[in-house]
Amino acid sequence: MTGRTARAARSAPTLSQLVAAGTLPEPRPEEVARVAGTDTLDGNIIEGSGRRLKEAFTHTDPPAPSPAEAPKPPLGSSSVEKPTAAPTEVLDISVGLIDPSPYQPRIEFDEEALQGLANTLLSEGQLQPIAVRRKTDGRFELVAGERRWKAAMLTGKETLSAIVQVMSDGHAAMATLTENAAREGLSDYEIGKACKRLLDIKDSTGRPYLSSISSLARRVGLSRAKVDRCLDFMKLPEEAIAILDTNPGIIGGTSAELLAKFVERGCSDAVIKAIEAIRDRGISEQHALSQLKREVTTARAPSPRPKTLKWHGEPAIKARIHGRRLLLTCEPGVSPGDLLERLRDLLDADATAPAAE
Amino acid sequence: MIVDGLRNPEFRAKLVLEQLLPEVLSTGQLRDVTQKEPDASKRGGLTYTPLDIRAAKLTLTGQAGAKLPLKQPILINTRIPKGGTGKTTITGNLATAFAFMGYRVLAIDGDPQASLSHLLGVDPEDESGSVSHIGALMQEHESRREKVDLAGAVRHVYPGGMLDLIPADITLTQTDGWLIGQLGREHIFEQLVADHPEFFGQYDVVLIDSAPGTTPLTFNFMAAAHALLAVVWLDRESLRAMNLLASNIKEVNRALPGKNLQVRIVANGYHAAYAHCKESLGVLHRSFSGNIDDIVISHSSGFVRQKAILTAEAKGPLVEQDPQSFGAKQIFELARSLVTRYSIKLGAVQESWPTLAVVEALEPA
């Protein structure tokens, strides 16, 4: 079994994928005319059940189990919505009431392609509803369809057809990322940024929504190795992140992995220079990385002499700084465990003191 | 006391974690939440049953131990006026999939051919005397104007009410003749459901398989259903059948004020090598986009095998026989899509499956 989860990985192409891939031939107009159209089939789920059934069951419909009484769900998160939450419905929603998803990983929106999509919207109409979820203030938040929404605004179209779903934050974030990751064009940096955001989501009890990076990888349908590489972007220094925010495709995941290791060794400046070089001089990632390696080995400053610290009046600890690491070596007779305890006490004392930051 | 069933399927943690749970759990967590002890007599580790999954989900959603209140179950009628599209196969497999996912399912066989009954392993001819099919129950209720013994008519396919069936037999054909003479003939099934909330309210979802023909009985099911599942086999014939279905629906909506019947088309029998599959799917997509489920069921050998295996030792639908098969996985995807689309609740709780069903529009070439 590979790293991909069987659930997120499609077992066969979906209709949307077949359509997007251009596999389905364009039907002849006379064929379409012979088949009754969608206008005869549209229905509203809320009205779909008979009046008698509604009446028969209304007095037996319960309020949800009160959250105070119910034991806290120990694991994971189902969305425990009260039965009064709206069932899934397809609505025409005013474009102005829709907000973008905070979980949208895509940074770049190709203007030209958007314009093309806008033209398609005008000529063909909207072929697939977008997906949104309700917000508490009566507005809607995008789950999938940001490009269509943007294109709709370009055309001045006032409403969009949308499937309104009930979704927890975690699931909305998951859906948005999974949709985008499944299509090409999402850079490793965008994936990494979105994965980091997903890992930071906590449910209402404060527990992380995703228990581990492996579970994230499974849910999203990417290999653990790929997710690790994409997450390595987040280890890069701020200046690098700033460059990536404007040029998300500038370096790939494999390069990020290597660069993150260099940052680990304290070479942040060199890393930033390398990325700037790629951006400004257009050199390839390979080139920049080999240059960086050369610089780092030749310019490698000799490790600063370890400082000796005294404890209880005796020389006890040799301390050395190496990049982001503080290396403490205990002299014979000094217990590292004792030292750690003492450090912990000192740091705790700092925590209770008024915070400096 | 848990009601016994014809079969009690068992499956391993792998299936549960991949297909049946929206949460991401480890095998240890799954074991803890179901409180299962390994059975020393069985090799190879823990197995789970549909009841276990239900119990686990009730625990995870804080409903365990609470008496679940009665609720109006979602009624889905599989309906297309053309035989051989795979209606019964999809209905039976969906019923099994929902049960595996922990939902309590009532399947109603509305076809005198009794294909659904056979698929679920209930052979009406084994019964001495005729089966109490849905038509008989409707007739009894309507003439006696008092509650009928629905529980007695039910066959428990899985224990604990996870999958119950009201079977059919050939005498169901007589119901149409009787219905013609009745006043308010389209509402009799709906009235039966409305008058027995304590029976129907135990289930999370009710799946009704209709015969292909357009009859008073099929109108009854349509009138009561929340949604129709139109299973379309990807060839020219089925497209013509969609026309007939569309006119049925127009009739229903016209005849029943306030009723807006919703249809979900499920494309079946897709094979990438066949041009006619792609053409038919293209026409469907063009004509009905917005009403077609994104899951396209493949022409899978598993479903063919399933029919061949229905012998005296009938072991049930493909999802039950081989839940890890290609075809079964597609059925699970369809089941999850329906749970989301029709707000099918497990108890009082709506499960939230990460939906992969909605994708952006065609990008311009």
Side-chain angles (χ1 to χ4, degrees):
Chain A
M1 181 73 177
T2 66
R4 300 182 60 172
T5 180
R7 193 194 320 140
R10 290 258 152 243
S11 45
T14 62
L15 178 57
S16 331
Q17 287 169 340
L18 288 170
V19 168
T23 315
L24 303 183
E26 194 58 32
R28 297 190 295 278
E30 57 269 22
E31 275 185 338
V32 177
R34 257 190 269 141
V35 182
T38 238
D39 56 333
T40 51
L41 298 188
D42 271 338
N44 182 328
I45 182 66
I46 299 171
E47 297 305 317
S49 72
R51 190 179 29 88
R52 286 157 223 253
L53 290 183
K54 262 207 291 248
E55 283 164 7
F57 283 91
T58 337
H59 64 276
T60 55
D61 258 353
S66 125
E69 297 160 1
K72 267 198 261 197
L75 307 144
S77 78
S78 297
S79 82
V80 184
E81 307 282 348
K82 299 212 161 52
T84 48
T88 312
E89 33 186 346
V90 180
L91 298 178
D92 278 324
I93 301 181
S94 160
V95 155
L97 280 179
I98 300 175
D99 293 326
S101 166
Y103 309 111
Q104 166 64 261
R106 192 179 295 273
I107 294 170
E108 289 181 315
F109 287 85
D110 180 350
E111 284 304 319
E112 224 182 274
L114 270 184
Q115 190 57 53
L117 185 56
N119 293 337
T120 309
L121 265 180
L122 281 175
S123 55
E124 310 287 330
Q126 191 186 353
L127 295 173
Q128 286 277 15
I130 59 176
V132 300
R133 58 177 186 150
R134 280 186 199 275
K135 292 166 74 155
T136 45
D137 54 3
R139 297 176 63 79
F140 298 88
E141 182 180 279
L142 275 171
V143 172
E146 175 143 358
R147 294 182 69 246
R148 263 166 297 164
W149 174 62
K150 283 182 140 77
M153 292 195 289
L154 282 178
T155 65
K157 195 163 163 13
E158 289 189 350
T159 65
L160 274 175
S161 164
I163 290 183
V164 181
Q165 280 168 313
V166 168
M167 275 180 141
S168 66
D169 288 351
H171 275 130
M174 189 64 73
T176 318
L177 174 62
T178 330
E179 286 310 311
N180 279 286
R183 278 193 305 283
E184 37 160 302
L186 204 64
S187 66
D188 287 348
Y189 171 62
E190 286 164 315
I191 296 178
K193 196 165 166 193
C195 284
K196 179 78 174 47
R197 251 188 245 149
L198 274 168
L199 288 169
D200 288 340
I201 293 178
K202 303 221 176 345
D203 65 18
S204 48
T205 63
R207 194 183 307 271
Y209 172 69
L210 286 161
S211 52
S212 67
I213 299 181
S214 298
S215 63
L216 166 63
R218 261 169 64 193
R219 292 288 290 271
V220 153
L222 296 169
S223 69
R224 169 69 199 255
K226 170 107 180 152
V227 173
D228 280 337
R229 279 198 296 274
C230 295
L231 284 172
D232 279 339
F233 280 99
M234 309 319 290
K235 297 187 186 151
L236 299 179
E238 271 180 30
E239 294 88 329
I241 303 266
I243 298 180
L244 285 162
D245 273 331
T246 34
N247 298 297
I250 196 173
I251 55 177
T254 336
S255 305
E257 192 178 352
L258 287 166
L259 291 173
K261 290 209 181 96
F262 279 115
V263 171
E264 200 63 36
R265 283 166 41 185
C267 311
S268 298
D269 289 337
V271 165
I272 297 171
K273 274 224 300 268
I275 298 179
E276 282 172 350
I278 302 176
R279 177 192 62 183
D280 300 332
R281 302 206 310 265
I283 57 179
S284 72
E285 287 172 54
Q286 291 281 57
H287 194 115
L289 281 170
S290 44
Q291 249 185 357
L292 175 61
K293 247 186 261 183
R294 248 178 287 128
E295 264 179 40
V296 164
T297 37
T298 54
R300 195 164 175 179
S303 301
R305 300 188 62 94
K307 292 185 166 46
T308 306
L309 304 174
K310 286 196 190 156
W311 195 18
H312 300 315
E314 299 286 320
I317 309 147
K318 284 206 171 56
R320 212 156 44 98
I321 293 184
H322 193 62
R324 278 171 40 203
R325 287 181 285 179
L326 173 62
L327 296 158
L328 299 171
T329 314
C330 292
E331 296 292 316
V334 179
S335 149
D338 289 346
L339 176 59
L340 184 57
E341 278 305 305
R342 180 71 184 124
L343 268 174
R344 196 177 277 153
D345 291 339
L346 284 169
L347 292 170
D348 280 343
D350 281 349
T352 53
E357 311 183 287
Chain B
M1 195 201 76
I2 292 184
V3 169
D4 222 355
L6 279 181
R7 304 185 293 280
N8 195 9
E10 292 179 346
F11 34 84
R12 296 212 180 279
K14 181 164 183 272
L15 177 72
V16 179
L17 298 175
E18 281 174 11
Q19 301 288 357
L20 306 182
L21 290 181
E23 292 89 1
V24 179
L25 298 183
S26 69
T27 37
Q29 288 168 334
L30 175 63
R31 190 187 53 234
D32 291 340
V33 86
T34 53
Q35 296 176 325
K36 288 218 84 160
E37 303 281 326
D39 187 338
S41 65
K42 294 207 180 93
R43 267 189 331 135
L46 283 176
T47 57
Y48 299 92
T49 65
L51 254 179
D52 290 330
I53 304 307
R54 184 177 181 80
K57 287 188 177 179
L58 291 176
T59 306
L60 287 170
T61 55
Q63 299 178 83
K67 176 158 164 47
L68 284 176
L70 293 179
K71 66 170 186 205
Q72 188 179 358
I74 304 294
L75 282 145
I76 300 181
N77 179 206
T78 324
R79 168 115 199 93
I80 185 143
K82 163 115 182 48
T85 60
K87 253 188 326 76
T88 305
T89 305
I90 301 262
T91 311
N93 276 283
L94 270 179
T96 307
F98 283 130
F100 275 32
M101 283 159 63
Y103 291 80
R104 297 189 72 186
V105 185
L106 175 66
I108 299 182
D109 195 346
D111 187 346
Q113 300 292 332
S115 331
L116 181 62
S117 307
H118 281 116
L119 179 58
L120 293 178
V122 173
D123 188 353
E125 273 146 50
D126 280 347
E127 316 286 324
S128 49
S130 63
V131 133
S132 244
H133 51 63
I134 192 66
L137 295 167
M138 283 160 63
Q139 198 166 345
E140 195 189 332
H141 178 57
E142 188 67 9
S143 42
R144 296 209 337 233
R145 299 262 157 202
E146 55 186 41
K147 288 204 194 246
V148 294
D149 181 18
L150 292 170
V154 149
R155 297 289 178 272
H156 303 291
V157 183
Y158 298 159
M162 293 310 293
L163 178 52
D164 286 345
L165 168 72
I166 296 181
D169 69 11
I170 197 66
T171 64
L172 184 54
T173 48
Q174 296 164 6
T175 303
D176 285 319
W178 165 74
L179 273 172
I180 287 177
Q182 297 305 303
L183 200 57
R185 67 175 84 108
E186 289 93 15
H187 295 293
I188 295 182
F189 173 68
E190 195 186 357
Q191 195 65 56
L192 177 75
V193 178
D195 289 342
H196 297 79
E198 70 294 330
F199 172 77
F200 286 98
Q202 315 166 71
Y203 300 102
D204 296 314
V205 61
V206 179
L207 297 174
I208 309 165
D209 192 21
S210 318
T214 303
T215 66
L217 182 60
T218 60
F219 272 115
N220 261 268
F221 296 141
M222 285 171 75
H226 284 85
L228 299 194
L229 208 62
V231 179
V232 176
W233 188 261
L234 291 171
D235 64 12
R236 297 274 177 260
E237 295 302 314
S238 285
L239 295 186
R240 276 193 268 267
M242 274 310 303
N243 278 346
L244 185 48
L245 178 60
S247 70
N248 283 172
I249 291 164
K250 249 197 199 139
E251 247 185 278
V252 166
N253 286 335
R254 220 181 356 222
L256 305 178
K259 171 109 183 153
N260 250 315
L261 196 48
Q262 192 175 51
V263 176
R264 194 94 182 127
I265 299 174
V266 176
N268 194 13
Y270 180 78
H271 197 311
Y274 294 146
H276 68 254
C277 284
K278 296 187 217 180
E279 283 160 18
S280 316
L281 193 52
V283 174
L284 274 181
H285 172 69
R286 180 61 71 167
S287 309
F288 297 111
S289 110
N291 281 101
I292 315 188
D293 200 282
D294 209 29
I295 311 298
V296 176
I297 309 283
S298 305
H299 188 229
S300 161
S301 62
F303 293 120
V304 177
R305 245 190 305 129
Q306 164 203 276
K307 286 190 199 141
I309 292 176
L310 282 178
T311 59
E313 308 93 30
K315 288 199 224 96
L318 179 64
V319 168
E320 184 183 324
Q321 291 178 35
D322 192 358
Q324 295 279 28
S325 65
F326 185 78
K329 284 189 179 149
Q330 293 199 300
I331 298 288
F332 277 118
E333 285 178 13
L334 180 61
R336 292 192 285 268
S337 161
L338 294 175
V339 162
T340 305
R341 183 112 183 105
Y342 294 121
S343 303
I344 301 176
K345 297 194 171 74
L346 198 155
V349 163
Q350 175 74 56
E351 280 190 320
S352 195
W353 292 90
T355 95
L356 304 175
V358 178
V359 183
E360 289 189 12
L362 287 174
E363 304 188 28

